[in-house]
Amino acid sequence: TLFRSSQLKSFSSFMKLGRNSDVGTTLIAPSSMFSTGKNTTDGKCNNLGLLDAECHGISCASNTTDTSKLYCNGLWRFQTCEDSDPETRNEEYIYNHVANAASAGLDLVYVELSNFASGSAKDTSTNNLAAISEMYVTDSLIGRIGSLLAHRSGLTAEDWLFVVTSDGNNLYRKSLYFISEFNHGAPVALKQPTGNTTILDVFPTVVEWLKLSTADAALYGGSILGICSQSGRTVAQGC
């Protein structure tokens, strides 16, 4: 299923629901995900970014007169590098902003990585070596963020859900999915997803974890993965 930017204003992402519920959100993504520049004569933004489309549709964020919408659904937003070696340059940058957001008490951190090189395990070309390098760097970043969340949960009363997913090419195709909870200084053993997981599963899982109110959850499809509610509190699934 493909959505036009103008159609996105009819839907609510978990980031928009979070903003409506005073959930502080940090967005860390490539600059192409944010709308920049000026509107053309027909009112369309010449550099349309998906993370701003929910608030502004096809218009540029800079053209709004409502300053509260300039940052759309994120209290903080940071643009990552999109040059020929993006992930290697971004690892420390992303990690530091995730750490700063957690220290500042923001509840939701959204990170998007893009521009991965592609290649085959049997391919020794330069492009494939770049892909392998980026995978190692990304794996390191995921491990560092996991260690950070575990450490914070051991010092404070914080309870973190860490979700990693690929885009799956489309909403319904199976996508890679990793989910973990960090509580009391250690990862919590969650019930592993069964069957195919898709990007549709992210929305209901995050909405359930943050206890966000929405009457439209059934319209989005997907399943709640890895967690469930017990005595009014969200806990590791298997309860």
Side-chain angles (χ1 to χ4, degrees):
T1 300
L2 297 177
F3 295 103
R4 299 181 186 276
S5 299
S6 56
Q7 292 176 299
L8 291 176
K9 297 185 72 173
S10 303
F11 294 83
S12 294
S13 67
F14 57 76
M15 290 176 284
K16 182 177 181 179
L17 294 174
R19 177 165 183 159
N20 293 340
S21 300
D22 295 323
V23 171
T25 300
T26 293
L27 305 176
I28 306 172
S31 58
S32 58
M33 297 299 293
F34 302 105
S35 295
T36 58
K38 297 181 179 180
N39 285 345
T40 58
T41 55
D42 57 358
K44 297 179 181 179
C45 188
N46 53 9
N47 293 295
L48 188 64
L50 186 61
L51 291 179
D52 283 326
E54 185 173 27
C55 300
H56 308 288
I58 61 174
S59 299
C60 291
S62 57
N63 281 264
T64 182
T65 57
D66 184 355
T67 56
S68 67
K69 291 183 178 180
L70 285 177
Y71 272 44
C72 197
N73 298 324
L75 291 178
W76 292 0
R77 61 195 290 174
F78 302 99
Q79 297 181 1
T80 56
C81 179
E82 293 185 274
D83 63 10
S84 59
D85 192 17
E87 310 313 330
T88 302
R89 298 178 188 275
N90 284 328
E91 180 186 8
E92 200 67 27
Y93 178 85
I94 293 173
Y95 174 82
N96 288 336
H97 284 310
V98 171
N100 291 338
S103 297
L106 274 73
D107 309 286
L108 175 65
V109 181
Y110 175 90
V111 179
E112 175 149 340
L113 304 178
S114 64
N115 289 347
F116 277 91
S118 60
S120 166
K122 297 180 180 180
D123 184 3
T124 58
S125 67
T126 301
N127 285 341
N128 189 60
L129 292 177
I132 294 173
S133 175
E134 290 173 4
M135 290 296 292
Y136 277 120
V137 171
T138 303
D139 185 64
S140 171
L141 176 62
I142 291 172
R144 292 180 66 191
I145 293 176
S147 296
L148 168 69
L149 301 181
H151 178 70
R152 287 192 58 84
S153 71
L155 300 177
T156 67
E158 295 175 352
D159 196 2
W160 287 90
L161 186 71
F162 189 20
V163 179
V164 179
T165 183
S166 64
D167 60 16
N169 291 321
N170 63 50
L171 295 179
Y172 300 100
R173 186 174 298 175
K174 180 179 179 181
S175 62
L176 298 175
Y177 201 95
F178 165 82
I179 182 169
S180 182
E181 178 186 0
F182 294 93
N183 195 338
H184 295 92
V188 176
L190 299 181
K191 182 178 180 180
Q192 293 301 307
T194 58
N196 291 346
T197 57
T198 73
I199 202 167
L200 283 173
D201 300 320
V202 176
F203 178 86
T205 302
V206 174
V207 166
E208 172 66 21
W209 180 260
L210 294 175
K211 295 300 180 187
L212 301 176
S213 176
T214 176
D216 301 324
L219 299 177
Y220 293 83
S223 303
I224 297 174
L225 299 177
I227 57 174
C228 64
S229 295
Q230 184 182 63
S231 301
R233 178 179 176 274
T234 303
V235 297
Q237 192 165 355
C239 53

